[in-house]
C-alpha cells in the first residue's frame, strides 16, 4: 500500500503531550499539517474505460496537470484496481502522492450512466486499500476536450487515439486542481 509519512519533531509526539486537552490540540495540529502536505504533493488522476486507463499527474505544487501514461486494463474491475495500485506505487516511489482523482462518468444532464456504478466500485475498493484520499471528479466532456487539444498538435488520428486517455485524465485533474485553487485561476 502507499503510505504517507508525516515527520514530527520529538516535542510534537502525542505520547509526550501532557493532558487530554493537550493531546487533542496536538492531534488537530498533526491532521492540519498532514492535510497541508497532501495538498502540496503531486496529485494523480485516472480516466478509465472498458479497455484503457489514462493516468495524469500534477506538478509538485499541484497546480498544473500533464498526461503521464495510458495503461491497457484487464476485463475485471479487480484487475483495474491492481493495475492502478501498481501505478500509484510506481509514482509514490519517487515522491509522495497527495490524492488520487478518479474521473466519474455522467450523462450531460448530470445523471448516472452505465459506467458510473462500475467506477464508483473501483473508487470504493481503492479507498479501502490506500492510505491517501481517493476522490471523484466529474469527467463529462473531458475526452472531447482532450481530443480537441490533441488535434491541434497531432494530425494523425491513430497517434491521437493512443494518447487520448492520458490526455483526458489530465483534463480531469486540471479541473480538480482549478476547483481547489485559492485564486480560482485555470492552470494550463
Amino acid at each position: 500500500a502507499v503510505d504517507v509519512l508525516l515527520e514530527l519533531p520529538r516535542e510534537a509526539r502525542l505520547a509526550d503531550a501532557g493532558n487530554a486537552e493537550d493531546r487533542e490540540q496536538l492531534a488537530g495540529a498533526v491532521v492540519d499539517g498532514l492535510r497541508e502536505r497532501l495538498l502540496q504533493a503531486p496529485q494523480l488522476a485516472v480516466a478509465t474505460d472498458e479497455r484503457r486507463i489514462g493516468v495524469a499527474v500534477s506538478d509538485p505544487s499541484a497546480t498544473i496537470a500533464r498526461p503521464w501514461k495510458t495503461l491497457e486494463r484487464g476485463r475485471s474491475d479487480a484487475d483495474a484496481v491492481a493495475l492502478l495500485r501498481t501505478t500509484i506505487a510506481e509514482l509514490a516511489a519517487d515522491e509522495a502522492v497527495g490524492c488520487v482523482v478518479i474521473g466519474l462518468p455522467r450523462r450531460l444532464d448530470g445523471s448516472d450512466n452505465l459506467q458510473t456504478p462500475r467506477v464508483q466500485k473501483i473508487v470504493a475498493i481503492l479507498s479501502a486499500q490506500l492510505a491517501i484520499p481517493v476522490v471523484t471528479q466529474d469527467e463529462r466532456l473531458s475526452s472531447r476536450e482532450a481530443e480537441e487539444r490533441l488535434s491541434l498538435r497531432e494530425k494523425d488520428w491513430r497517434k491521437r487515439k493512443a494518447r487520448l486517455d492520458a490526455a483526458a485524465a489530465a483534463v480531469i485533474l486540471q479541473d480538480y486542481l482549478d476547483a481547489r485553487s485559492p485564486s480560482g485561476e485555470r492552470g494550463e
Side-chain angles (χ1 to χ4, degrees):
V2 178
D3 293 320
V4 177
L5 301 176
L6 177 62
E7 298 169 11
L8 295 174
R10 181 182 178 103
E11 63 273 11
R13 293 189 187 149
L14 287 174
D16 297 339
N19 59 35
E21 185 177 319
D22 290 342
R23 283 192 298 275
E24 185 175 322
Q25 190 173 24
L26 184 56
V30 168
V31 168
D32 290 344
L34 179 57
R35 184 177 297 119
E36 184 63 31
R37 280 188 62 187
L38 288 176
L39 289 174
Q40 293 303 313
Q43 315 290 306
L44 179 132
V46 175
T48 184
D49 64 24
E50 295 285 328
R51 290 178 278 179
R52 287 175 298 280
I53 299 173
V55 183
V57 295
S58 75
D59 63 321
S61 67
T63 306
I64 298 173
R66 66 177 172 79
W68 184 31
K69 60 171 59 177
T70 300
L71 310 167
E72 296 296 324
R73 63 169 279 176
R75 288 206 175 274
S76 76
D77 293 338
D79 291 343
V81 169
L83 186 58
L84 285 171
R85 287 189 64 206
T86 301
T87 303
I88 294 164
E90 179 184 332
L91 180 62
D94 294 331
E95 55 191 319
V97 176
C99 180
V100 177
V101 180
I102 309 263
L104 187 63
R106 301 250 187 220
R107 290 189 173 98
L108 287 178
D109 67 3
S111 63
D112 291 355
N113 66 20
L114 295 175
Q115 288 291 89
T116 306
R118 188 173 191 180
V119 171
Q120 288 171 329
K121 178 181 173 187
I122 291 171
V123 169
I125 294 169
L126 272 177
S127 294
Q129 294 180 359
L130 298 179
I132 56 176
V134 178
V135 299
T136 60
Q137 174 69 31
D138 187 344
E139 72 169 25
R140 284 180 282 179
L141 301 176
S142 61
S143 293
R144 184 179 194 95
E145 183 176 340
E147 171 68 27
E148 287 176 11
R149 289 181 183 190
L150 287 172
S151 70
L152 296 174
R153 290 178 291 179
E154 181 59 62
K155 298 304 175 195
D156 184 351
W157 67 270
R158 288 175 194 88
K159 290 180 182 177
R160 283 198 314 263
K161 185 177 179 183
R163 298 170 44 196
L164 182 61
D165 293 287
V171 169
I172 293 165
L173 182 54
Q174 193 63 59
D175 287 347
Y176 174 83
L177 297 173
D178 292 344
R180 278 135 194 88
S181 169
S183 65
E185 292 181 15
R186 184 168 174 84
E188 292 283 331

